[in-house]
Amino acid sequence: MGSVQAPASGAGGWDVATADKEGVGVERLLEVAQRAADAAGEVLRMYFRQRVEIIDKEDQSPVTIADREAEEAMIFGEENGWRCVEKSSDYVWVLDPIDGTKSFITGKPLFGTLIALLHKGKPVMGIMISQS
């Protein structure tokens, strides 16, 4: 597993004081991201180096059942075609359960899980966990 670190103060014009004023502690946000990554990892380990069906997305990039189940375990995100339509949400999580799907498919341990947090449309936190 990779490690998670708090974002630098002032990243993207957002800092710990802003988060705390809004009642959203940075440590709590990091904990949520870590739990989502752990949930994805549990699913990915079941499928890694196993034969899985490969489906081409609209953009012709591959996606597998491992991507979709890991994403579902994380919450709900990019691989299932989710797009935020809610205009009033200040915080939005962006999830990519397998960054490096081609490596995952071919059994190469060169993939990870990406998680970002947007605040009012701007990235304020991002983590990458090596799942291999």
Side-chain angles (χ1 to χ4, degrees):
M1 292 288 165
S3 63
V4 179
Q5 297 180 349
S9 180
W14 183 83
D15 58 27
V16 174
T18 301
D20 288 339
K21 272 193 273 183
E22 294 179 3
V24 181
V26 173
E27 294 304 319
R28 176 68 180 129
L29 294 171
L30 287 169
E31 180 184 332
V32 169
Q34 183 68 55
R35 286 184 180 190
D38 290 346
E42 286 181 33
V43 172
L44 298 178
R45 283 187 290 281
M46 290 187 314
Y47 286 103
F48 186 55
R49 294 191 173 145
Q50 303 297 317
R51 185 170 247 176
V52 293
E53 181 182 2
I54 302 164
I55 303 162
D56 288 330
K57 294 190 292 188
E58 240 179 68
D59 67 0
Q60 301 304 305
S61 63
V63 65
T64 69
I65 190 163
D67 285 283
R68 295 209 168 144
E69 286 186 16
E71 182 174 81
E72 194 171 299
M74 292 169 78
I75 300 176
F76 189 66
E78 186 253 351
E79 297 300 349
N80 284 317
W82 175 83
R83 297 290 179 261
C84 183
V85 295
E86 188 65 47
K87 300 286 186 203
S88 63
S89 179
D90 285 345
Y91 291 92
V92 175
W93 291 100
V94 181
L95 313 171
D96 187 359
I98 303 177
D99 182 54
T101 301
K102 290 179 183 176
S103 291
F104 181 85
I105 290 167
T106 60
K108 295 180 183 130
L110 303 171
F111 62 92
T113 297
L114 304 178
I115 300 174
L117 178 63
L118 306 180
H119 179 248
K120 297 184 180 179
K122 294 184 180 181
V124 294
M125 181 184 302
I127 66 169
M128 187 276 180
I129 303 290
S130 175
Q131 298 288 12
S132 49

